[in-house]
Amino acid sequence: MDVQNFDLNTQHLILNTILTKQRIIAHFDLDSFFVSVEILNNPSLKGKPVIVGGRERGVVAACSYEARKFGIHSAMPSSKARQLCPQAIFVSGTRGEYSRYSRWVTDIIAAKAPLFEKASIDEFYLDLTGMDKFFKPLKWTIELRNEIMHTTGLPISFGLSSNKMMAKIATNQAKPNGFLQVPFGKEKDFLAPLPVEEIPGVGGHTQEVLAYLGIKTIRQISETPLALLEERLGKWGTDLKNKSLGIHVSEVTPFHEAKSISTENTFDKPVTDLVFINKELVKFTEKICYELRQDSKLTGCITVKIRYPDFETTTKQVSIDYTNADDEIIPVVKAIFKQLHKKGKPVRLLGVRLSDLTNDAVQANLFIDNEKKNELYKTIDEVKNRFGKTLLKRASSG
Ligand SMILES: [Mg+2]
């Protein structure tokens, strides 16, 4: 069947039926995650306008709902936030704690959910399709949320619907500290009154284009002729039309099959020179850290692989605080190699892999203690982009 042969409304109906039939997706998102962790570690912050970020310089990495009432939002310059709310309490981030709590929540979800994706350090999609034969998905999801809150002490919200986009929008409507189900078939009605910027991916530019057409709500998008949306927004206009009707196709990527970034090299002759091997490890790590930053991702797990001339192959992996900085990852890579390597034995193949990748969605690169470092890596990466990736190397990878 070629869907294109039908008129647009029928096309949507068919796609809707094919794509969303029987799918049940939950989206979980920890509420103002960084701030919630800070409050757990210092309960006197509770109920106050709290900002994670530098007081004197830098930007707001996260802020409490009390701070948001003053118009403060993440990525705002700290100086502006101070003007809006002079009594705001600034705390510098504790990345190790955020990594620890993120893993704790991940473990709780992993123990219960048959299929889930970790979309960022504080965000998860669960595919519960088929589960309705055994449980009531809403009841099950409420119980999971209660378990996360009672075990970790962190507030978390969820949305439950027929695809990832709908579930995420539902979560945003449920926040803070709530949950919301949009039943199958009610997607379009639920979206209709919401402002256009509730659709993920609608930013300043799209808003401007839509406003020029007099479009402010999602209902108005759904009622605008597709040809007009395509004329103004190209292919994105088609996506937007589908999204305004609650249609979105995207699979939940299983956590353990999530992408990793790796590099390895088989040497022409087995190598025993440890100075050379360490230089190689640095070179590999710099290469994949660069890729990580280009993808705006963080890694939480490092693996080193060694193969000996007799083809014996060993690997060892270590979990770390989420990062994408060469200088934090290189020492770990070297340390893993040192533990793993059989002393004196020549090495035939060497590899480094970064996994447990999460999107840098929570401005992890805005951490104040990393601000200078981030600037440095930004400059390094810009030079690499412009002049080729091999030009700039750490001195030791020489
Ligand atoms: Mg969150």
Side-chain angles (χ1 to χ4, degrees):
M1 178 176 65
D2 191 350
V3 177
Q4 309 261 326
N5 294 336
F6 296 90
D7 68 78
L8 191 69
N9 279 340
T10 316
Q11 276 186 39
H12 281 307
L13 204 69
I14 294 169
L15 285 174
N16 208 0
T17 311
I18 295 172
L19 301 174
T20 61
K21 199 181 170 192
Q22 293 173 333
R23 297 196 78 69
I24 306 169
I25 308 291
H27 173 254
F28 275 84
D29 191 348
L30 290 153
D31 298 329
S32 55
F33 175 50
F34 293 178
V35 173
S36 299
V37 171
E38 296 299 335
I39 291 171
L40 281 180
N41 289 335
N42 178 5
S44 74
L45 296 172
K46 195 169 178 158
K48 294 180 182 155
V50 178
I51 292 173
V52 176
R55 185 182 167 78
E56 299 310 321
R57 44 198 296 266
V59 293
V60 174
C63 58
S64 66
Y65 286 91
E66 289 78 9
R68 289 179 206 193
K69 284 181 195 147
F70 292 87
I72 297 168
H73 55 78
S74 52
M76 174 184 275
S78 293
S79 53
K80 175 109 188 274
R82 264 193 344 262
Q83 271 171 21
L84 290 171
C85 179
Q87 70 272 37
I89 302 165
F90 282 80
V91 289
S92 54
T94 38
R95 199 153 41 103
E97 283 296 277
Y98 307 152
S99 300
R100 189 169 73 82
Y101 275 98
S102 172
R103 289 214 167 90
W104 195 359
V105 174
T106 309
D107 289 344
I108 295 170
I109 292 175
K112 287 273 158 75
L115 172 55
F116 78 100
E117 170 182 339
K118 186 167 178 171
S120 76
I121 198 164
D122 68 339
E123 226 184 319
F124 305 84
Y125 289 98
L126 283 62
D127 191 338
L128 309 177
T129 308
M131 227 184 178
D132 48 329
K133 294 186 191 103
F134 309 100
F135 310 101
K136 288 210 170 0
L138 181 60
K139 184 166 172 280
W140 185 91
T141 319
I142 290 171
E143 283 168 8
L144 178 59
R145 172 172 177 257
N146 287 338
E147 186 181 342
I148 293 167
M149 292 195 300
H150 292 149
T151 312
T152 65
L154 293 170
I156 189 164
S157 302
F158 76 78
L160 188 65
S161 194
S162 54
N163 61 53
K164 285 168 84 174
M165 177 199 74
M166 285 304 307
K168 188 178 170 76
I169 296 176
T171 306
N172 289 340
Q173 296 303 307
K175 275 179 171 293
N177 214 356
F179 61 86
L180 192 60
Q181 181 184 28
V182 181
F184 182 68
K186 296 280 180 220
E187 295 87 347
K188 195 180 151 192
D189 296 340
F190 170 77
L191 293 177
L194 301 178
V196 292
E197 61 268 27
E198 290 298 321
I199 295 180
V202 173
H205 171 68
T206 310
Q207 264 175 278
E208 268 173 40
V209 173
L210 293 174
Y212 186 76
L213 298 170
I215 299 172
K216 290 252 156 55
T217 66
I218 298 178
R219 183 199 314 276
Q220 288 173 295
I221 299 178
S222 72
E223 289 169 351
T224 303
L226 180 62
L228 180 58
L229 292 172
E230 282 178 345
E231 183 197 305
R232 299 302 162 95
L233 294 161
K235 206 187 155 299
W236 172 223
T238 322
D239 283 355
L240 206 54
K241 177 87 175 179
N242 281 327
K243 287 182 172 179
S244 75
L245 297 165
I247 299 169
H248 175 64
V249 196
S250 177
E251 293 298 316
V252 171
T253 311
F255 183 55
H256 293 290
E257 289 169 27
K259 247 180 81 181
S260 64
I261 300 181
S262 64
T263 184
E264 58 179 46
N265 189 21
T266 305
F267 302 114
D268 297 335
K269 279 187 228 151
V271 179
T272 46
D273 180 355
L274 287 177
V275 176
F276 173 79
I277 286 174
N278 272 300
K279 277 185 187 172
E280 287 291 297
L281 289 173
V282 171
K283 201 166 80 185
F284 290 175
T285 310
E286 285 176 347
K287 180 170 171 275
I288 53 185
C289 284
Y290 166 76
E291 285 174 34
L292 200 60
R293 291 192 297 272
Q294 293 296 300
D295 278 0
S296 301
K297 288 205 153 74
L298 303 170
T299 178
C301 186
I302 303 173
T303 308
V304 173
K305 175 170 155 186
I306 303 174
R307 180 170 295 150
Y308 299 105
D310 57 7
F311 285 95
E312 181 195 346
T313 307
T314 52
T315 62
K316 184 178 165 63
Q317 67 177 47
V318 167
S319 289
I320 53 162
D321 292 344
Y322 289 101
T323 182
N324 58 19
D326 301 10
D327 67 300
E328 288 171 32
I329 296 175
I330 288 169
V332 184
V333 168
K334 286 181 172 175
I336 299 174
F337 174 81
K338 207 174 164 194
Q339 284 176 28
L340 189 62
H341 181 231
K342 288 183 183 164
K343 295 246 161 358
K345 205 167 173 183
V347 174
R348 178 91 172 88
L349 174 147
L350 202 55
V352 179
R353 184 163 68 100
L354 307 178
S355 56
D356 187 0
L357 306 185
T358 64
N359 292 318
D360 194 356
V362 278
Q363 291 98 24
N365 59 343
L366 301 180
F367 281 38
I368 192 65
D369 57 338
N370 271 335
E371 202 181 325
K372 271 196 185 139
K373 211 191 274 179
N374 274 309
E375 284 306 311
L376 171 71
Y377 284 120
K378 228 181 262 172
T379 312
I380 291 176
D381 294 346
E382 269 167 30
V383 174
K384 279 186 178 173
N385 287 339
R386 218 180 303 165
F387 300 106
K389 292 167 191 173
T390 49
L391 186 74
L392 260 190
K393 282 182 200 161
R394 206 161 287 273
S396 62
S397 72

